[in-house]
Amino acid sequence: MSVSAARLPPGPRLPRLVQTAGFVLAGPRFLEACRRRYGNAVTFSTVFDSSFVMVFDPGLVKEVFQGSSAQLHAGEANALLGPVLGERSVLLLDEDEHLRHRRLMLPPFHGRRMQAYEQVIRAATDTEIDSWPVGEQFALLPTMQSLTLRAILRAVFGYATGPAEAELRRRLRAMVEPLARPRRLLLLSAVRSRDRGAVLRFEAQRRAVDEILYAEIARRRGEPDLEQRDDVFSALLLAEDERGDRLTDKEVRDELVTLLLAGHETTATGLAWTFDLLLHNASVLRRTHDAIEAGNDDYLDAVVKEALRIRPVIPGVGRVVSGGDFHFGGYVIPPGVEINPSIRTIHRRTDLYPDPRAFRPERFLGPGAPDTYTWLPFGGGTRRCLGASFALMEMRVVLRRVLERVRLRPADATPEKVQFRAITLAPRRGVRVLQDRPPSAAVAEPVPA
Ligand code: HEM
């Protein structure tokens, strides 16, 4: 169909530069004002993208998430991540190739294996708690990053503690850390990059990681007892599609880096926000302690979900229309235009979440709990976060273990401000806290190999 048949949703007629300033300077307030003025689907134009559609309503989000994967390309929307993840990453693929990778990757993220990972995460939490100072301020975000990296290296990569794990951890952090700075990903994009030095440094760091990963892939392919291992890395090497084909070395490498990048910073940020919200809400904190004593995991899950609602780590997801026009909500979106369900705006709608700024885990308990299109921190449809159950389990286990072992209090009287960091919405100062008492006698358990 021709572009002239397009019927895009209404949107601000402001110059692109002014709309860009609206996003950068007023973010959620700008979006909410546009939603009130133009409705639940709004067309924007900025210096980064001359025409894209943001979606603010669960009904419309459902149409997008249930749309055909041949027509709505998330891989294309994630293309900026290409230099880091590699072009065979599930995040960058679309249609049949995407489905094939997803099917091969899903099994280790379900059921029985998840329980085995709980133990690993508890141990990683103990290691981290043992390093916290007493009576001195420290920031939670970096320590949560270290914890989630440790958890991924053990559960996903299957590394036991030791020099090999430490070396891989060091090289991965060196590769990933600079990316967390605002705009750094843009620098890495080959087309837009003007900072040649940054690109070269990044490529050297990526090669240092790849060197270890390819050597480990070759080593494990030769191991006779790979079936006995319960890490995701080994499962990826063994997984076969319906034709009996396995992932190539390059594909395994790209998926490992994808799991690390998608799962490490995100979960750490979600955890830092959860503690920031809890430590500034005495009554919820007290109820969480009570729930831990009573062994009530449902309440802990609700705390985590409510934290991801108020402070979603990823503000929105993207789908680029491909092939023909995409029809939704009475609009006709032409090929090439990106549609963005806005997680952040939907989570703050007063009609969906009364008193939306209040931290109330109870929203997620009982029959009126939000559905999959109203609470969407993990996106949705055939692209929904592959590690969502892993992340929720990890956050619950860490939360329980930290509250069981130590007493933290916030170093700052007010909760953190949100800062956009290339992909994530992170706490600006990293959630600074103080530990009141020395760690209890509940000493760390040995880390399982
Ligand atoms: C709180 C933590 C996390 C958050 C908020 C989060 C959020 C997201 C979001 C919003 C997406 C895009 C979904 C869409 O386009 O509809 C996504 C995709 C993905 N996530 Fe997560 N994630 C988290 C943790 C994890 C973990 C722990 C892993 C794995 C270890 C993981 C692996 C992935 C993968 C592989 C994809 C791509 C799925 C696909 O394209 O089919 N994530 N995540």
Side-chain angles (χ1 to χ4, degrees), residues 68-70 72-76 78 87-106 247 251 255 258 319 380-386:
S68 132
S69 55
L72 296 176
H73 284 181
E76 222 174 310
N78 295 332
E87 68 274 16
R88 302 299 293 159
S89 153
V90 68
L91 262 162
L92 299 184
L93 295 171
D94 280 308
E95 304 193 30
D96 292 350
E97 280 289 353
H98 166 257
L99 211 65
R100 172 174 180 262
H101 276 236
R102 212 175 143 96
R103 283 207 187 107
L104 293 174
M105 293 170 79
L106 263 173
L247 294 171
E251 288 173 332
E255 297 306 15
T258 298
R319 306 286 186 265
T382 53
R383 308 298 299 226
R384 185 171 189 266
C385 174
L386 224 135

Side-chain angles (χ1 to χ4, degrees), residues 371-443:
D371 66 21
T372 41
Y373 303 106
T374 307
W375 183 75
L376 53 155
F378 297 105
T382 53
R383 308 298 299 226
R384 185 171 189 266
C385 174
L386 224 135
S389 349
F390 184 91
L392 290 172
M393 174 275 291
E394 179 168 11
M395 289 175 72
R396 171 173 30 85
V397 171
V398 174
L399 181 61
R400 190 200 299 123
R401 193 59 179 154
V402 169
L403 295 186
E404 263 171 11
R405 282 197 55 195
V406 294
R407 288 288 171 271
L408 297 176
R409 73 190 148 85
D412 302 300
T414 50
E416 281 270 6
K417 297 239 176 338
V418 181
Q419 181 184 44
F420 183 55
R421 290 200 188 169
I423 304 171
T424 57
L425 296 173
R428 192 184 294 269
R429 291 182 309 257
V431 184
R432 291 182 303 171
V433 295
L434 279 145
Q435 187 185 169
D436 271 343
R437 287 189 314 185
S440 75
V443 270

Side-chain angles (χ1 to χ4, degrees), residues 174-190:
M175 180 180 83
V176 170
E177 233 155 41
L179 301 178
R181 283 184 222 134
R183 291 187 294 282
R184 190 51 105 190
L185 272 177
L186 283 180
L187 282 178
L188 290 174
S189 144

Side-chain angles (χ1 to χ4, degrees), residues 269-308:
T269 308
L271 275 164
W273 279 126
T274 307
F275 284 107
D276 188 50
L277 288 160
L278 266 180
L279 298 178
H280 288 96
N281 284 273
S283 59
V284 181
L285 181 61
R286 207 167 35 247
R287 265 173 272 151
T288 311
H289 275 294
D290 293 346
I292 289 171
E293 261 172 44
N296 176 2
D297 271 0
D298 290 347
Y299 194 78
L300 291 191
D301 282 334
V303 168
V304 167
K305 286 181 179 168
E306 175 68 342
L308 290 172

Side-chain angles (χ1 to χ4, degrees), residues 53-194:
V53 174
M54 294 201 70
V55 181
F56 306 120
D57 179 71
L60 293 176
V61 167
K62 184 174 179 182
E63 284 186 54
V64 175
F65 283 167
Q66 291 187 346
S68 132
S69 55
Q71 224 193 337
L72 296 176
H73 284 181
E76 222 174 310
N78 295 332
L80 208 57
L81 299 167
V84 191
L85 303 181
E87 68 274 16
R88 302 299 293 159
S89 153
V90 68
L91 262 162
L92 299 184
L93 295 171
D94 280 308
E95 304 193 30
D96 292 350
E97 280 289 353
H98 166 257
L99 211 65
R100 172 174 180 262
H101 276 236
R102 212 175 143 96
R103 283 207 187 107
L104 293 174
M105 293 170 79
L106 263 173
F109 283 101
H110 278 107
R112 189 184 57 80
R113 284 184 194 243
M114 215 51 81
Q115 280 170 3
Y117 300 151
E118 278 198 25
Q119 186 53 30
V120 166
I121 289 163
R122 206 173 113 109
T125 312
D126 278 332
T127 308
E128 217 47 49
I129 292 175
D130 292 340
S131 74
W132 292 351
V134 179
E136 254 176 63
Q137 280 187 22
F138 67 100
L140 273 180
L141 182 59
T143 173
M144 290 298 141
Q145 286 163 339
S146 159
L147 193 166
T148 56
L149 181 55
R150 230 180 264 278
I152 288 207
L153 282 180
R154 295 191 193 152
V156 174
F157 285 57
Y159 274 73
T161 324
E165 185 243 24
E167 181 56 22
L168 179 55
R169 188 146 43 89
R170 192 188 62 74
R171 293 191 192 190
L172 285 168
R173 279 301 311 165
M175 180 180 83
V176 170
E177 233 155 41
L179 301 178
R181 283 184 222 134
R183 291 187 294 282
R184 190 51 105 190
L185 272 177
L186 283 180
L187 282 178
L188 290 174
S189 144
V191 193
R192 300 181 207 200
S193 174
R194 292 200 190 90

